[in-house]
Amino acid sequence: MKYVVVTGGVVSGLGKGVTASSIGVVLKACGLRVTSIKIDPYLNTDAGTMSPFEHGEVFVLDDGGEVDLDLGNYERFLDVTLTRDNNITTGKIYQSVLEKERKGDYLGKTVQVVPHITDAIKNWIESVSVIPVDGEDGPADVCVIELGGTVGDIESMPFIEALRQLFFSVGQDHFCLIHVSLIPVLGIVGEQKTKPTQHSVRELRALGLTPHFLACRSAQPFLENTKQKLSQFCHVPVGNILNIHDVPNIWHIPLLLQNQNAHDAILRHLDLVSVAKSPNLQEWTKRAETFDSLTNSVRIAMVGKYVGMSDSYLSVVKALLHACIACSLKPAIDWIAASDLEDDSANLTPEAHAVAWKTLKNAACVLVPSGFGDRGVKGMILAAKYARENNVPYLGICLGMQISVIEIARSVLGLERANSTEFDDETPYPVVIFMPEGSKTHMGCTMRLGCRRTLFQNPDCITAKLYHNPDYVDERHRHRYEVNPEMVSILEESGLKFVGKDESGKRMEILELPDHPFYVGVQFHPEFKSRPGRPSALFLGFILAATGLLEAYLRNPQNGSL
């Protein structure tokens, strides 16, 4: 196994995940099989209980793993299916070591960070890196490992030491260290400053690791003397210093690496030149150039709880991007805080209330994504009602589906106090209930998670046609509340149809309003499986409906060109 390790310095948020993904793309384009591992030094066992405001979205894998959003980048860029074990956290490592200690596996020895924690990290990396993630048999050729955080952080020290030991054990031609850093420009001087990177590399070398490559982030392309200075003071050859400057969209990053011959240098370092071929990035080039050339856009109202941080809905944003590009459009996402739509907001913050409603009414379609808790629920219900009554295309995901059920129960069936038991334990009309198998005492990893099968009840429904499959679809889930099966017959009296159910037939997965241009709610998360060049069927249908092209698309027997 060949390892490419990506670390970060100077500041966080430099784009290590995109850099690691892009390196994987270039190596994959050379004919190599690539897998990925993300190391998160926090003590949480996984990302499942972390706030979207603090950490961005929780990405869900096929096996139900709740992981860092960077694994979503890996899956989208590399088109692979990762497992929960591809995300290593301090919590997981310490938990595994302590479980062994309790069972007596260490035979009475004093359990320490070195060697027991570092050995556990190395063993985890070596065992996970050989698990195939691309649908083929046998291990990958290269494992790209991203170490989260910044070099020098206290919590990442055991991982740095474990990686140092791994380097020593596998040897120079099996281990490539790429350090991502920042080259700032001071406004007054206008000079590209290398000192922060020099200090970051010095810190890394003091911990026993010397970078073989530097991937330097900057606003503008490097000046030649910047590379020379970095090479001289960081002990990295000029040819191994990569400049990742700002680009119009992230699909340019693999092309940027290719143009600097990063693949050649990495292949030579890992002694893979003989088995690799010239990189073929024609699809990426076309995709990046197509996006840059688009002029028309579609306005999408995103009505959610966590709109203050776009990373909270990163996969939804990417799925919208994939669908829009397939329709030769640029997504124009209007972020609307659901609470701003509520009646209380009209009195407390009238300007925000007016702007929110104006934005909603100017949108071509409305999307209500997932969320937890009752904040903003009233606003989401109003958004769903507006879309239903005005024939505006609507897509409700997870909570968004439950919101549409509550809205229809109240507005159409006249059940004024209809609600979810998540928001009102004493509602007389519990149209959404807590799942029987859920836990009310533990939050971590207690939801209905991972890839589950949904059976279509009507092959002529819009959703089945979009998926090109009249029987079933497999999508990823993350929820602990569901539509109350005892109220389904009452709800369907409103004209609402549950066109998708789970294999038991008791869990509602997809709803549609047949007399509406596009009113779809899904309990699953279709955004997690969307890929560049292969958009999610539901997101594609959503955008087609917003542009008035859905009927023509569904009539086309090939469902090919748009």
Side-chain angles (χ1 to χ4, degrees):
M1 178 60 63
K2 309 283 187 176
Y3 299 99
V4 175
V5 177
V6 179
T7 60
V10 182
V11 294
S12 60
L14 284 177
K16 293 191 302 296
V18 173
T19 302
S21 301
S22 299
I23 291 167
V25 167
V26 175
L27 294 177
K28 185 177 179 180
C30 292
L32 300 174
R33 293 175 60 199
V34 180
T35 185
S36 295
I37 293 175
K38 172 69 188 295
I39 297 174
D40 285 306
Y42 47 67
L43 274 170
N44 304 63
T45 304
D46 57 33
T49 58
M50 300 176 79
S51 167
F53 283 122
E54 183 173 321
H55 197 68
E57 77 168 2
V58 176
F59 191 80
V60 179
L61 302 171
D62 268 4
D63 66 358
E66 297 174 284
V67 297
D68 185 86
L69 58 81
D70 278 322
L71 274 79
N73 278 327
Y74 303 156
E75 286 205 343
R76 284 187 289 269
F77 270 60
L78 300 174
D79 195 14
V80 294
T81 302
L82 301 174
T83 71
R84 68 178 75 225
D85 290 338
N86 289 85
N87 191 194
I88 304 174
T89 69
T90 299
K92 286 181 180 178
I93 294 296
Y94 274 78
Q95 188 176 52
S96 67
V97 169
L98 290 173
E99 284 176 356
K100 286 184 178 180
E101 186 273 334
R102 290 291 83 188
K103 289 190 293 184
D105 290 357
Y106 296 113
L107 300 176
K109 288 186 178 295
T110 302
V111 180
Q112 298 175 294
V113 173
V114 180
H116 301 101
I117 294 295
T118 51
D119 283 352
I121 294 168
K122 286 189 296 178
N123 293 338
W124 196 304
I125 289 173
E126 290 174 335
S127 62
V128 171
S129 63
V130 297
I131 298 173
V133 296
D134 55 3
E136 298 183 27
D137 296 329
D141 301 305
V142 179
C143 178
V144 179
I145 304 171
E146 178 195 348
L147 174 61
T150 307
V151 168
D153 294 344
I154 292 174
E155 59 263 31
S156 65
M157 292 299 183
F159 294 100
I160 294 281
E161 172 59 20
L163 291 170
R164 184 196 67 77
Q165 294 179 21
L166 181 66
F167 175 37
F168 183 74
S169 63
V170 301
Q172 177 89 9
D173 60 349
H174 284 74
F175 190 98
C176 175
L177 178 59
I178 301 175
H179 189 58
V180 181
S181 188
L182 176 67
I183 304 296
V185 174
L186 297 183
I188 299 173
V189 182
E191 179 187 0
Q192 292 177 335
K193 293 293 184 180
T194 64
K195 192 65 73 177
T197 298
Q198 293 178 40
H199 284 297
S200 181
V201 170
R202 186 178 303 157
E203 177 83 20
L204 191 58
R205 294 176 68 192
L207 296 171
L209 285 172
T210 299
H212 305 111
F213 290 79
L214 292 179
C216 299
R217 293 281 290 108
S218 63
Q220 300 295 328
F222 269 179
L223 303 173
E224 188 57 35
N225 69 320
T226 303
K227 274 195 175 185
Q228 295 291 343
K229 189 183 291 187
L230 284 168
S231 177
Q232 181 178 1
F233 291 107
C234 297
H235 292 205
V236 177
V238 172
N240 289 6
I241 297 175
L242 310 171
N243 179 208
I244 304 179
H245 55 77
D246 290 352
V247 290
N249 65 74
I250 60 172
W251 291 336
H252 281 281
I253 303 299
L255 308 179
L256 206 57
L257 293 174
Q258 181 194 25
N259 292 338
Q260 297 176 66
N261 294 314
H263 56 287
D264 284 338
I266 294 172
L267 292 172
R268 283 197 302 272
H269 181 91
L270 294 175
D271 193 22
L272 287 170
V273 175
S274 61
V275 297
K277 59 184 181 182
S278 298
N280 179 5
L281 287 170
Q282 290 181 352
E283 283 189 19
W284 280 89
T285 304
K286 181 180 178 182
R287 194 174 293 133
E289 292 176 350
T290 297
F291 181 73
D292 290 342
S293 64
L294 294 176
T295 54
N296 296 326
S297 62
V298 56
R299 303 214 72 83
I300 306 159
M302 181 92 82
V303 183
K305 295 165 63 75
Y306 318 116
V307 295
M309 182 180 180
S310 59
D311 274 1
S312 300
Y313 301 113
L314 183 63
S315 290
V316 174
V317 172
K318 296 301 182 185
L320 287 170
L321 174 63
H322 302 159
C324 285
I325 294 231
C327 299
S328 300
L329 295 166
K330 280 193 174 183
I333 300 176
D334 293 322
W335 298 91
I336 301 174
S339 54
D340 287 343
L341 295 171
E342 297 174 2
D343 295 338
D344 291 345
S345 175
N347 299 321
L348 298 174
T349 53
E351 289 186 7
H353 179 76
V355 169
W357 273 103
K358 182 180 179 181
T359 303
L360 181 67
K361 291 178 179 180
N362 286 337
C365 52
V366 178
L367 193 154
V368 177
S370 59
F372 297 93
D374 60 358
R375 183 177 57 83
V377 164
K378 292 178 181 177
M380 295 179 197
I381 290 173
L382 289 170
K385 182 178 182 180
Y386 168 80
R388 180 181 58 80
E389 292 181 341
N390 293 276
N391 286 333
V392 176
Y394 174 88
L395 178 59
I397 299 173
C398 198
L399 174 62
M401 171 187 173
Q402 297 168 9
I403 289 293
S404 60
V405 170
I406 296 169
E407 189 278 318
I408 287 172
R410 291 180 180 181
S411 303
V412 180
L413 296 175
L415 308 177
E416 292 184 7
R417 288 192 58 197
N419 214 332
S420 166
T421 56
E422 181 181 6
F423 315 131
D424 182 3
D425 283 337
E426 299 180 355
T427 173
Y429 308 111
V431 292
V432 177
I433 60 172
F434 191 83
M435 291 189 300
E437 67 267 37
S439 170
K440 293 190 176 183
T441 57
H442 290 71
M443 295 187 71
C445 203
T446 58
M447 289 185 274
R448 183 169 177 252
L449 294 164
C451 192
R452 312 276 179 145
R453 178 154 293 183
T454 295
L455 303 179
F456 291 117
Q457 308 300 301
N458 179 4
D460 292 326
C461 67
I462 288 176
T463 311
K465 290 178 180 177
L466 286 170
Y467 277 104
H468 312 319
N469 186 345
D471 299 322
Y472 67 88
V473 63
D474 296 322
E475 292 281 11
R476 297 176 184 177
H477 294 67
R478 184 177 186 252
H479 64 109
R480 54 168 53 94
Y481 288 85
E482 63 177 342
V483 175
N484 187 346
E486 294 182 2
M487 296 201 68
V488 167
S489 58
I490 298 173
L491 290 166
E492 289 194 328
E493 290 176 8
S494 67
L496 183 71
K497 298 298 178 187
F498 291 100
V499 298
K501 300 180 182 180
D502 77 337
E503 291 175 298
S504 73
K506 295 180 180 179
R507 189 157 277 157
M508 303 304 111
E509 294 279 6
I510 307 171
L511 65 80
E512 292 183 9
L513 274 179
D515 295 331
H516 194 283
F518 187 92
Y519 192 95
V520 177
V522 290
Q523 189 59 72
F524 50 78
H525 289 263
E527 68 271 22
F528 290 143
K529 285 193 171 184
S530 183
R531 301 285 184 266
R534 201 170 69 249
S536 160
L538 280 172
F539 279 85
L540 179 60
F542 180 56
I543 298 301
L544 287 170
T547 54
L549 298 173
L550 180 59
E551 286 189 20
Y553 175 80
L554 295 178
R555 280 198 305 267
N556 179 1
Q558 300 300 320
N559 288 323
S561 59
L562 302 176

PDB file of all heavy atoms in Angstrom, residues 430-436 482-491 498 501-502 504-508:
ATOM      1  N   PRO A 430     -51.087  13.198  16.131  1.00  0.00           N
ATOM      2  CA  PRO A 430     -49.648  12.973  15.925  1.00  0.00           C
ATOM      3  C   PRO A 430     -49.377  12.384  14.538  1.00  0.00           C
ATOM      4  O   PRO A 430     -49.263  11.168  14.372  1.00  0.00           O
ATOM      5  CB  PRO A 430     -49.294  11.984  17.035  1.00  0.00           C
ATOM      6  CG  PRO A 430     -50.569  11.225  17.275  1.00  0.00           C
ATOM      7  CD  PRO A 430     -51.692  12.174  17.007  1.00  0.00           C
ATOM      8  N   VAL A 431     -49.261  13.241  13.543  1.00  0.00           N
ATOM      9  CA  VAL A 431     -49.041  12.765  12.171  1.00  0.00           C
ATOM     10  C   VAL A 431     -47.597  12.309  11.971  1.00  0.00           C
ATOM     11  O   VAL A 431     -47.295  11.565  11.034  1.00  0.00           O
ATOM     12  CB  VAL A 431     -49.418  13.852  11.138  1.00  0.00           C
ATOM     13  CG1 VAL A 431     -50.909  14.092  11.134  1.00  0.00           C
ATOM     14  CG2 VAL A 431     -48.663  15.154  11.392  1.00  0.00           C
ATOM     15  N   VAL A 432     -46.699  12.760  12.850  1.00  0.00           N
ATOM     16  CA  VAL A 432     -45.298  12.317  12.819  1.00  0.00           C
ATOM     17  C   VAL A 432     -44.939  11.872  14.230  1.00  0.00           C
ATOM     18  O   VAL A 432     -45.182  12.594  15.199  1.00  0.00           O
ATOM     19  CB  VAL A 432     -44.356  13.454  12.355  1.00  0.00           C
ATOM     20  CG1 VAL A 432     -42.903  12.987  12.402  1.00  0.00           C
ATOM     21  CG2 VAL A 432     -44.714  13.917  10.951  1.00  0.00           C
ATOM     22  N   ILE A 433     -44.355  10.671  14.349  1.00  0.00           N
ATOM     23  CA  ILE A 433     -44.086  10.093  15.669  1.00  0.00           C
ATOM     24  C   ILE A 433     -42.643   9.616  15.797  1.00  0.00           C
ATOM     25  O   ILE A 433     -41.932   9.449  14.794  1.00  0.00           O
ATOM     26  CB  ILE A 433     -45.034   8.904  15.960  1.00  0.00           C
ATOM     27  CG1 ILE A 433     -44.844   7.802  14.896  1.00  0.00           C
ATOM     28  CG2 ILE A 433     -46.482   9.364  16.026  1.00  0.00           C
ATOM     29  CD1 ILE A 433     -45.587   6.507  15.204  1.00  0.00           C
ATOM     30  N   PHE A 434     -42.226   9.409  17.045  1.00  0.00           N
ATOM     31  CA  PHE A 434     -40.901   8.853  17.341  1.00  0.00           C
ATOM     32  C   PHE A 434     -40.879   7.393  16.922  1.00  0.00           C
ATOM     33  O   PHE A 434     -41.825   6.646  17.184  1.00  0.00           O
ATOM     34  CB  PHE A 434     -40.630   8.985  18.841  1.00  0.00           C
ATOM     35  CG  PHE A 434     -39.210   8.699  19.235  1.00  0.00           C
ATOM     36  CD1 PHE A 434     -38.237   9.680  19.139  1.00  0.00           C
ATOM     37  CD2 PHE A 434     -38.836   7.458  19.731  1.00  0.00           C
ATOM     38  CE1 PHE A 434     -36.931   9.432  19.524  1.00  0.00           C
ATOM     39  CE2 PHE A 434     -37.536   7.193  20.112  1.00  0.00           C
ATOM     40  CZ  PHE A 434     -36.576   8.188  20.001  1.00  0.00           C
ATOM     41  N   MET A 435     -39.804   6.978  16.272  1.00  0.00           N
ATOM     42  CA  MET A 435     -39.734   5.594  15.800  1.00  0.00           C
ATOM     43  C   MET A 435     -39.622   4.623  16.982  1.00  0.00           C
ATOM     44  O   MET A 435     -38.882   4.898  17.935  1.00  0.00           O
ATOM     45  CB  MET A 435     -38.551   5.412  14.853  1.00  0.00           C
ATOM     46  CG  MET A 435     -38.718   6.126  13.525  1.00  0.00           C
ATOM     47  SD  MET A 435     -37.422   5.670  12.357  1.00  0.00           S
ATOM     48  CE  MET A 435     -35.973   6.185  13.232  1.00  0.00           C
ATOM     49  N   PRO A 436     -40.303   3.517  16.926  1.00  0.00           N
ATOM     50  CA  PRO A 436     -40.312   2.570  18.053  1.00  0.00           C
ATOM     51  C   PRO A 436     -38.930   2.084  18.455  1.00  0.00           C
ATOM     52  O   PRO A 436     -38.660   1.879  19.636  1.00  0.00           O
ATOM     53  CB  PRO A 436     -41.160   1.397  17.528  1.00  0.00           C
ATOM     54  CG  PRO A 436     -41.966   1.957  16.417  1.00  0.00           C
ATOM     55  CD  PRO A 436     -41.159   3.061  15.820  1.00  0.00           C
ATOM     56  N   GLU A 482     -40.870   9.585  12.176  1.00  0.00           N
ATOM     57  CA  GLU A 482     -41.438   9.100  10.930  1.00  0.00           C
ATOM     58  C   GLU A 482     -42.926   9.438  10.863  1.00  0.00           C
ATOM     59  O   GLU A 482     -43.557   9.743  11.876  1.00  0.00           O
ATOM     60  CB  GLU A 482     -41.254   7.590  10.818  1.00  0.00           C
ATOM     61  CG  GLU A 482     -41.993   6.818  11.906  1.00  0.00           C
ATOM     62  CD  GLU A 482     -41.874   5.318  11.758  1.00  0.00           C
ATOM     63  OE1 GLU A 482     -41.524   4.866  10.668  1.00  0.00           O
ATOM     64  OE2 GLU A 482     -42.158   4.605  12.744  1.00  0.00           O
ATOM     65  N   VAL A 483     -43.483   9.370   9.659  1.00  0.00           N
ATOM     66  CA  VAL A 483     -44.918   9.577   9.495  1.00  0.00           C
ATOM     67  C   VAL A 483     -45.652   8.468  10.237  1.00  0.00           C
ATOM     68  O   VAL A 483     -45.309   7.285  10.128  1.00  0.00           O
ATOM     69  CB  VAL A 483     -45.299   9.576   8.000  1.00  0.00           C
ATOM     70  CG1 VAL A 483     -46.824   9.669   7.832  1.00  0.00           C
ATOM     71  CG2 VAL A 483     -44.620  10.734   7.280  1.00  0.00           C
ATOM     72  N   ASN A 484     -46.670   8.860  10.993  1.00  0.00           N
ATOM     73  CA  ASN A 484     -47.457   7.911  11.785  1.00  0.00           C
ATOM     74  C   ASN A 484     -48.243   6.981  10.849  1.00  0.00           C
ATOM     75  O   ASN A 484     -49.141   7.423  10.140  1.00  0.00           O
ATOM     76  CB  ASN A 484     -48.430   8.676  12.681  1.00  0.00           C
ATOM     77  CG  ASN A 484     -49.160   7.780  13.662  1.00  0.00           C
ATOM     78  OD1 ASN A 484     -49.159   6.559  13.539  1.00  0.00           O
ATOM     79  ND2 ASN A 484     -49.809   8.387  14.646  1.00  0.00           N
ATOM     80  N   PRO A 485     -47.910   5.678  10.817  1.00  0.00           N
ATOM     81  CA  PRO A 485     -48.600   4.773   9.885  1.00  0.00           C
ATOM     82  C   PRO A 485     -50.094   4.665  10.145  1.00  0.00           C
ATOM     83  O   PRO A 485     -50.869   4.366   9.236  1.00  0.00           O
ATOM     84  CB  PRO A 485     -47.887   3.430  10.101  1.00  0.00           C
ATOM     85  CG  PRO A 485     -47.226   3.532  11.431  1.00  0.00           C
ATOM     86  CD  PRO A 485     -46.890   4.976  11.622  1.00  0.00           C
ATOM     87  N   GLU A 486     -50.517   4.945  11.385  1.00  0.00           N
ATOM     88  CA  GLU A 486     -51.941   4.850  11.712  1.00  0.00           C
ATOM     89  C   GLU A 486     -52.753   6.009  11.130  1.00  0.00           C
ATOM     90  O   GLU A 486     -53.982   5.955  11.113  1.00  0.00           O
ATOM     91  CB  GLU A 486     -52.118   4.795  13.230  1.00  0.00           C
ATOM     92  CG  GLU A 486     -51.538   3.522  13.853  1.00  0.00           C
ATOM     93  CD  GLU A 486     -51.764   3.471  15.351  1.00  0.00           C
ATOM     94  OE1 GLU A 486     -52.396   4.407  15.890  1.00  0.00           O
ATOM     95  OE2 GLU A 486     -51.299   2.492  15.981  1.00  0.00           O
ATOM     96  N   MET A 487     -52.056   7.060  10.678  1.00  0.00           N
ATOM     97  CA  MET A 487     -52.763   8.213  10.130  1.00  0.00           C
ATOM     98  C   MET A 487     -52.611   8.343   8.622  1.00  0.00           C
ATOM     99  O   MET A 487     -53.054   9.321   8.025  1.00  0.00           O
ATOM    100  CB  MET A 487     -52.290   9.501  10.819  1.00  0.00           C
ATOM    101  CG  MET A 487     -52.600   9.544  12.302  1.00  0.00           C
ATOM    102  SD  MET A 487     -52.609  11.203  13.007  1.00  0.00           S
ATOM    103  CE  MET A 487     -54.052  11.928  12.238  1.00  0.00           C
ATOM    104  N   VAL A 488     -51.988   7.362   7.997  1.00  0.00           N
ATOM    105  CA  VAL A 488     -51.741   7.425   6.558  1.00  0.00           C
ATOM    106  C   VAL A 488     -53.049   7.496   5.770  1.00  0.00           C
ATOM    107  O   VAL A 488     -53.197   8.297   4.833  1.00  0.00           O
ATOM    108  CB  VAL A 488     -50.888   6.219   6.102  1.00  0.00           C
ATOM    109  CG1 VAL A 488     -50.899   6.098   4.579  1.00  0.00           C
ATOM    110  CG2 VAL A 488     -49.460   6.362   6.612  1.00  0.00           C
ATOM    111  N   SER A 489     -54.007   6.654   6.119  1.00  0.00           N
ATOM    112  CA  SER A 489     -55.274   6.641   5.369  1.00  0.00           C
ATOM    113  C   SER A 489     -55.995   7.981   5.473  1.00  0.00           C
ATOM    114  O   SER A 489     -56.592   8.459   4.501  1.00  0.00           O
ATOM    115  CB  SER A 489     -56.178   5.512   5.881  1.00  0.00           C
ATOM    116  OG  SER A 489     -56.436   5.665   7.272  1.00  0.00           O
ATOM    117  N   ILE A 490     -55.937   8.606   6.654  1.00  0.00           N
ATOM    118  CA  ILE A 490     -56.561   9.922   6.826  1.00  0.00           C
ATOM    119  C   ILE A 490     -55.833  10.965   5.993  1.00  0.00           C
ATOM    120  O   ILE A 490     -56.454  11.789   5.307  1.00  0.00           O
ATOM    121  CB  ILE A 490     -56.559  10.328   8.323  1.00  0.00           C
ATOM    122  CG1 ILE A 490     -57.372   9.334   9.142  1.00  0.00           C
ATOM    123  CG2 ILE A 490     -57.095  11.742   8.504  1.00  0.00           C
ATOM    124  CD1 ILE A 490     -57.273   9.566  10.649  1.00  0.00           C
ATOM    125  N   LEU A 491     -54.512  10.933   6.030  1.00  0.00           N
ATOM    126  CA  LEU A 491     -53.710  11.901   5.280  1.00  0.00           C
ATOM    127  C   LEU A 491     -53.951  11.785   3.780  1.00  0.00           C
ATOM    128  O   LEU A 491     -53.993  12.793   3.065  1.00  0.00           O
ATOM    129  CB  LEU A 491     -52.224  11.707   5.599  1.00  0.00           C
ATOM    130  CG  LEU A 491     -51.776  12.111   7.008  1.00  0.00           C
ATOM    131  CD1 LEU A 491     -50.388  11.569   7.312  1.00  0.00           C
ATOM    132  CD2 LEU A 491     -51.797  13.634   7.155  1.00  0.00           C
ATOM    133  N   PHE A 498     -48.683   8.542  -0.653  1.00  0.00           N
ATOM    134  CA  PHE A 498     -47.399   7.985  -0.230  1.00  0.00           C
ATOM    135  C   PHE A 498     -46.994   6.937  -1.261  1.00  0.00           C
ATOM    136  O   PHE A 498     -47.453   5.792  -1.215  1.00  0.00           O
ATOM    137  CB  PHE A 498     -47.512   7.394   1.177  1.00  0.00           C
ATOM    138  CG  PHE A 498     -47.697   8.439   2.238  1.00  0.00           C
ATOM    139  CD1 PHE A 498     -48.968   8.706   2.759  1.00  0.00           C
ATOM    140  CD2 PHE A 498     -46.624   9.188   2.695  1.00  0.00           C
ATOM    141  CE1 PHE A 498     -49.148   9.681   3.726  1.00  0.00           C
ATOM    142  CE2 PHE A 498     -46.793  10.176   3.662  1.00  0.00           C
ATOM    143  CZ  PHE A 498     -48.062  10.431   4.168  1.00  0.00           C
ATOM    144  N   LYS A 501     -42.647   3.278   0.127  1.00  0.00           N
ATOM    145  CA  LYS A 501     -42.653   2.772   1.496  1.00  0.00           C
ATOM    146  C   LYS A 501     -41.458   1.839   1.688  1.00  0.00           C
ATOM    147  O   LYS A 501     -40.874   1.355   0.708  1.00  0.00           O
ATOM    148  CB  LYS A 501     -43.957   2.019   1.785  1.00  0.00           C
ATOM    149  CG  LYS A 501     -45.223   2.873   1.629  1.00  0.00           C
ATOM    150  CD  LYS A 501     -46.478   2.064   1.940  1.00  0.00           C
ATOM    151  CE  LYS A 501     -47.740   2.913   1.743  1.00  0.00           C
ATOM    152  NZ  LYS A 501     -48.983   2.144   2.042  1.00  0.00           N
ATOM    153  N   ASP A 502     -41.129   1.578   2.956  1.00  0.00           N
ATOM    154  CA  ASP A 502     -40.036   0.642   3.206  1.00  0.00           C
ATOM    155  C   ASP A 502     -40.507  -0.785   2.949  1.00  0.00           C
ATOM    156  O   ASP A 502     -41.655  -1.022   2.571  1.00  0.00           O
ATOM    157  CB  ASP A 502     -39.489   0.820   4.624  1.00  0.00           C
ATOM    158  CG  ASP A 502     -40.380   0.189   5.688  1.00  0.00           C
ATOM    159  OD1 ASP A 502     -41.591   0.014   5.415  1.00  0.00           O
ATOM    160  OD2 ASP A 502     -39.876  -0.117   6.780  1.00  0.00           O
ATOM    161  N   SER A 504     -41.254  -3.146   4.871  1.00  0.00           N
ATOM    162  CA  SER A 504     -42.336  -3.630   5.730  1.00  0.00           C
ATOM    163  C   SER A 504     -43.685  -3.072   5.303  1.00  0.00           C
ATOM    164  O   SER A 504     -44.730  -3.584   5.695  1.00  0.00           O
ATOM    165  CB  SER A 504     -42.065  -3.245   7.185  1.00  0.00           C
ATOM    166  OG  SER A 504     -42.269  -1.855   7.378  1.00  0.00           O
ATOM    167  N   GLY A 505     -43.662  -1.997   4.523  1.00  0.00           N
ATOM    168  CA  GLY A 505     -44.894  -1.344   4.092  1.00  0.00           C
ATOM    169  C   GLY A 505     -45.492  -0.426   5.136  1.00  0.00           C
ATOM    170  O   GLY A 505     -46.526   0.205   4.905  1.00  0.00           O
ATOM    171  N   LYS A 506     -44.826  -0.289   6.293  1.00  0.00           N
ATOM    172  CA  LYS A 506     -45.369   0.521   7.382  1.00  0.00           C
ATOM    173  C   LYS A 506     -44.661   1.872   7.531  1.00  0.00           C
ATOM    174  O   LYS A 506     -45.142   2.746   8.241  1.00  0.00           O
ATOM    175  CB  LYS A 506     -45.259  -0.253   8.700  1.00  0.00           C
ATOM    176  CG  LYS A 506     -46.116  -1.526   8.736  1.00  0.00           C
ATOM    177  CD  LYS A 506     -45.971  -2.245  10.062  1.00  0.00           C
ATOM    178  CE  LYS A 506     -46.829  -3.508  10.090  1.00  0.00           C
ATOM    179  NZ  LYS A 506     -46.682  -4.248  11.375  1.00  0.00           N
ATOM    180  N   ARG A 507     -43.535   2.030   6.883  1.00  0.00           N
ATOM    181  CA  ARG A 507     -42.762   3.271   7.035  1.00  0.00           C
ATOM    182  C   ARG A 507     -42.843   4.066   5.737  1.00  0.00           C
ATOM    183  O   ARG A 507     -42.451   3.587   4.671  1.00  0.00           O
ATOM    184  CB  ARG A 507     -41.318   2.906   7.376  1.00  0.00           C
ATOM    185  CG  ARG A 507     -40.446   4.053   7.773  1.00  0.00           C
ATOM    186  CD  ARG A 507     -39.285   3.552   8.607  1.00  0.00           C
ATOM    187  NE  ARG A 507     -39.668   3.398  10.017  1.00  0.00           N
ATOM    188  CZ  ARG A 507     -39.050   2.598  10.864  1.00  0.00           C
ATOM    189  NH1 ARG A 507     -38.047   1.838  10.482  1.00  0.00           N
ATOM    190  NH2 ARG A 507     -39.444   2.529  12.124  1.00  0.00           N
ATOM    191  N   MET A 508     -43.380   5.290   5.836  1.00  0.00           N
ATOM    192  CA  MET A 508     -43.570   6.126   4.650  1.00  0.00           C
ATOM    193  C   MET A 508     -42.240   6.762   4.241  1.00  0.00           C
ATOM    194  O   MET A 508     -41.564   7.387   5.059  1.00  0.00           O
ATOM    195  CB  MET A 508     -44.604   7.224   4.925  1.00  0.00           C
ATOM    196  CG  MET A 508     -45.969   6.712   5.382  1.00  0.00           C
ATOM    197  SD  MET A 508     -46.739   5.549   4.250  1.00  0.00           S
ATOM    198  CE  MET A 508     -46.661   4.028   5.219  1.00  0.00           C
TER     199      MET A 508
END
